[in-house]
C-alpha cells in the first residue's frame, strides 16, 4: 500500500518534520490545522472566519488527493472558547452539512498563538457512498 505525504507549504512542516496531509490507500488524514496564512499571519479575528478559512484550505488539500467534501467522515475541532462553538458549527455546515460526517468539538485552554481561536483535524475515505439511516 502506498503512503503519500502532502505539504501545505508551511515552514513549520519542514522544521518539525510532519506532513499536513497523509493518504494511505483510500484513507486521507489532515493534521490539526489553524488559520495561519502563507505569510505566517493568522487569518481572521473570529472563530467563524478562522474555521471557514481552515475548511477552504481542507477542500483544496482534499482535491490534491482526488477527494472532496463528500468523502469526509470525521472532523474534530479544538476551540479556545466553547462560547464560539456556534460560529464554528456555522462554518462547518457550509461545507459538510449535506454529508453529515462525525463532528466533535472540544475546548482547549490555548493554541499556539493567542490570536488562534480554532484548530481542526479531518479524516476522509475515498470510494464511500453516503447513506443516511
Amino acid at each position: 500500500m502506498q503512503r503519500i505525504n502532502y505539504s501545505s507549504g508551511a515552514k513549520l512542516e519542514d522544521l518539525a518534520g510532519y506532513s499536513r496531509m497523509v493518504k494511505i490507500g483510500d484513507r486521507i488524514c489532515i493534521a490539526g490545522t489553524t488559520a495561519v496564512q502563507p505569510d505566517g499571519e493568522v487569518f481572521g479575528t473570529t472563530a467563524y472566519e478562522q474555521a471557514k478559512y481552515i475548511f477552504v484550505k481542507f477542500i483544496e488539500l482534499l482535491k490534491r488527493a482526488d477527494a472532496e467534501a463528500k468523502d469526509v467522515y470525521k472532523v474534530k475541532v479544538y476551540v479556545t472558547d466553547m462560547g464560539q462553538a456556534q460560529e464554528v458549527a456555522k462554518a462547518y455546515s457550509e461545507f459538510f452539512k449535506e454529508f453529515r460526517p462525525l463532528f466533535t468539538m472540544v475546548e482547549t485552554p490555548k493554541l499556539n498563538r493567542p490570536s488562534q481561536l480554532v484548530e481542526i483535524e479531518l479524516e476522509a475515505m475515498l470510494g464511500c457512498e453516503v447513506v443516511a439511516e
Side-chain angles (χ1 to χ4, degrees):
M1 189 172 297
Q2 185 180 45
R3 171 180 159 163
I4 304 171
N5 295 335
Y6 296 83
S7 172
S8 69
K11 293 178 185 177
L12 187 58
E13 292 171 23
D14 283 336
L15 290 172
Y18 71 92
S19 298
R20 175 65 47 205
M21 180 173 69
V22 173
K23 180 180 178 185
I24 300 173
D26 290 335
R27 185 168 182 215
I28 301 163
C29 297
I30 301 180
T33 301
T34 60
V36 174
Q37 302 173 92
D39 66 3
E41 295 298 314
V42 176
F43 178 87
T45 58
T46 68
Y48 170 79
E49 291 170 334
Q50 290 187 15
K52 186 165 183 175
Y53 181 89
I54 296 164
F55 289 131
V56 168
K57 188 185 285 191
F58 283 172
I59 297 302
E60 292 304 312
L61 281 164
L62 288 168
K63 285 179 187 175
R64 291 174 55 195
D66 298 320
E68 53 191 303
K70 72 173 184 58
D71 299 313
V72 174
Y73 66 87
K74 184 177 182 180
V75 176
K76 188 169 186 180
V77 177
Y78 303 89
V79 293
T80 57
D81 177 1
M82 282 304 281
Q84 299 169 341
Q86 190 171 2
E87 288 185 50
V88 175
K90 179 183 173 187
Y92 161 87
S93 293
E94 292 176 19
F95 296 88
F96 303 108
K97 184 176 183 179
E98 175 184 355
F99 310 114
R100 302 177 66 96
L102 300 169
F103 180 69
T104 302
M105 190 178 327
V106 296
E107 184 176 280
T108 186
K110 61 183 177 179
L111 295 170
N112 191 41
R113 301 181 203 177
S115 58
Q116 293 173 321
L117 307 173
V118 182
E119 183 166 337
I120 306 172
E121 300 176 353
L122 179 147
E123 294 183 34
M125 178 77 72
L126 296 173
C128 294
E129 179 184 349
V130 178
V131 178
E133 186 174 310

